[in-house]
Amino acid sequence: MSRISGLQNARNMQAAVDAIAERSPGLKKPSLRRFTWSRLHTDLLDDFRWSLVAKRANAPLPLVEAVLIRLENHANRSHPRGYVGDFSAEGLAARWHVDADTIGRIYAQLEEPDIGWIDQDQIVTFWDRNPDKVDETAKDRQQRVRDRKKGYKQLAQQAAQGLITPQQRLEREIALKDSMEPKALMTAWAELSTSPVRHGASRRDSVTVTPRADQNINQDVREKAQKSSATDGKEDRQSGEIVNIGEAELWIAIDGRRIITERMRITTQLAETTIARWRRELSDDVVFLASIIQAAAATSLISAQFHVLISEQIKRRQQEEKGPALPLPPVSLRRSTGNV
């Protein structure tokens, strides 16, 4: 009996391998790798078919869903992956202290053609969701995440020391976020920065590396500034850095409001309300507010992304203004003078 059972299992597994090859053109034989995890669709348990299975098998819906998850785990451990022909309904029933016939009826309904969850002892969708390959880019992606975090920290330190302006910090953080080589980008900035730059200093004293898309936007801004200066002699305030409160007030009231209205796609009245809130959050530091609006305008962000970008800079400025938490002062303890 054991020999016959072994031959039957071998035939079932071969049928499963053939089913995989049939559903995956060009795949002759799975490599039979082992994985400690598998993928599930987030809407797996919301499928209407499971209610139908529960009704036909005369079983509770939560039990049907539990069997589905158990089958997925079993399929992930099998050779080849996805194979459930050796699944034991009696063993699972003993573990859960439920009727084995109920588990068997659920399994049988999952094999029905109109349900189509199991075919030839194979979970039909398992192979498509769990291809037999390893993500070779995971290590590189994790390294880029670590390099970006380190870069953000370095930029914050440089801004605190006055080595870069808030606008340069914002531009570099945007470039760092989009870069596929953040470490090389930070190295380039370190080599190109030749002197400290503080508020009021000319942007020509330092070099800022930005993504090609943002470079194109900056080029468009410069061309518009040149055309405006040549036609009506008016200075385009967006192209220069604002260094005093009077200029900042005027720029925010005119150009800043226009930029926010266009980028966030809101009404002028709502833009004025937003600016007023930002000014309160920054303790009316209009020079800094104007600088981060200018920097955000040099990007291609719109709508909520544009709003989030400015809000994040305001929150960061608030945290920097608060500074690190101070330790508690020493407290003297009075000795009791009472008699013991």
Side-chain angles (χ1 to χ4, degrees):
M1 288 294 294
S2 60
R3 183 179 180 182
I4 295 175
S5 178
L7 292 173
Q8 183 63 36
N9 288 337
R11 282 195 290 267
N12 291 339
M13 291 187 66
Q14 183 60 43
V17 172
D18 295 340
I20 293 173
E22 182 180 352
R23 283 192 292 270
S24 304
L27 180 64
K28 296 182 179 179
K29 182 179 180 181
S31 63
L32 303 182
R33 288 182 176 180
R34 301 300 299 272
F35 292 85
T36 58
W37 49 266
S38 62
R39 296 186 180 96
L40 291 175
H41 292 305
T42 55
D43 58 349
L44 170 67
L45 300 182
D46 297 327
D47 198 317
F48 74 93
R49 290 178 295 175
W50 315 144
S51 299
L52 186 59
V53 170
K55 181 179 179 180
R56 290 177 177 178
N58 192 24
L61 179 59
L63 183 60
V64 174
E65 295 176 346
V67 170
L68 287 169
I69 302 302
R70 281 289 179 174
L71 285 171
E72 283 284 333
N73 290 338
H74 184 89
N76 192 50
R77 292 192 298 264
S78 296
H79 285 271
R81 297 172 71 215
Y83 178 71
V84 291
D86 55 351
F87 174 76
S88 174
E90 185 178 1
L92 182 61
R95 180 182 181 87
W96 287 350
H97 303 288
V98 299
D99 184 16
D101 291 339
T102 304
I103 303 296
R105 290 197 302 271
I106 293 174
Y107 188 95
Q109 288 298 322
L110 293 174
E111 291 182 302
E112 290 295 321
D114 59 337
I115 300 299
W117 182 251
I118 299 174
D119 181 27
Q120 299 184 51
D121 296 328
Q122 181 86 13
I123 294 181
V124 174
T125 62
F126 188 89
W127 188 259
D128 294 333
R129 288 184 284 108
N130 300 276
D132 198 3
K133 64 182 180 180
V134 179
D135 185 3
E136 302 293 346
T137 65
K139 183 177 179 180
D140 295 336
R141 287 188 287 107
Q142 290 297 326
Q143 184 61 47
R144 284 197 294 270
V145 171
R146 289 191 290 268
D147 291 340
R148 288 193 184 100
K149 289 182 178 179
K150 185 177 180 180
Y152 292 146
K153 185 176 180 180
Q154 291 179 2
L155 291 175
Q157 293 174 349
Q158 293 172 3
Q161 296 171 3
L163 301 177
I164 57 176
T165 65
Q167 183 173 354
Q168 288 174 325
R169 176 183 176 180
L170 179 58
E171 290 174 350
R172 293 185 179 189
E173 286 180 344
I174 295 171
L176 200 62
K177 181 180 179 181
D178 298 333
S179 175
M180 295 299 292
E181 298 181 356
K183 186 176 182 179
L185 199 58
M186 291 301 301
T187 303
W189 285 329
E191 293 175 352
L192 293 174
S193 298
T194 56
S195 62
V197 179
R198 301 187 181 275
H199 292 286
S202 173
R203 292 186 64 186
R204 290 175 296 179
D205 295 337
S206 65
V207 180
T208 301
V209 181
T210 56
R212 182 169 299 276
D214 293 341
Q215 291 177 2
N216 295 336
I217 294 174
N218 293 338
Q219 180 64 28
D220 292 340
V221 172
R222 286 193 292 269
E223 291 177 356
K224 290 180 181 179
Q226 293 174 357
K227 291 179 180 180
S228 177
S229 177
T231 53
D232 45 40
K234 295 181 181 180
E235 180 183 2
D236 187 357
R237 293 183 177 272
Q238 186 175 346
S239 62
E241 185 175 0
I242 298 172
V243 296
N244 62 61
I245 297 177
E247 289 183 356
E249 290 275 7
L250 182 59
W251 187 88
I252 290 176
I254 302 176
D255 293 336
R257 184 182 63 178
R258 173 181 55 79
I259 291 172
I260 293 171
T261 302
E262 294 175 353
R263 289 298 187 91
M264 294 177 57
R265 297 176 178 177
I266 57 178
T267 63
T268 302
Q269 183 178 2
L270 186 55
E272 293 175 351
T273 303
T274 303
I275 291 173
R277 185 181 73 253
W278 285 341
R279 292 183 60 161
R280 288 194 301 269
E281 294 174 351
L282 289 171
S283 300
D284 218 23
D285 187 352
V286 291
V287 175
F288 179 77
L289 179 58
S291 67
I292 62 176
I293 294 177
Q294 280 187 334
T299 70
S300 57
L301 301 179
I302 59 173
S303 302
Q305 294 180 340
F306 185 86
H307 181 271
V308 168
L309 182 61
I310 296 179
S311 299
E312 287 178 349
Q313 298 305 313
I314 292 175
K315 291 179 181 178
R316 182 171 293 155
R317 183 57 175 263
Q318 290 174 332
Q319 294 174 355
E320 293 174 351
E321 291 291 339
K322 291 179 181 179
L326 297 176
L328 294 176
V331 179
S332 59
L333 301 177
R334 294 182 179 178
R335 292 186 177 182
S336 176
T337 57
N339 294 329
V340 180

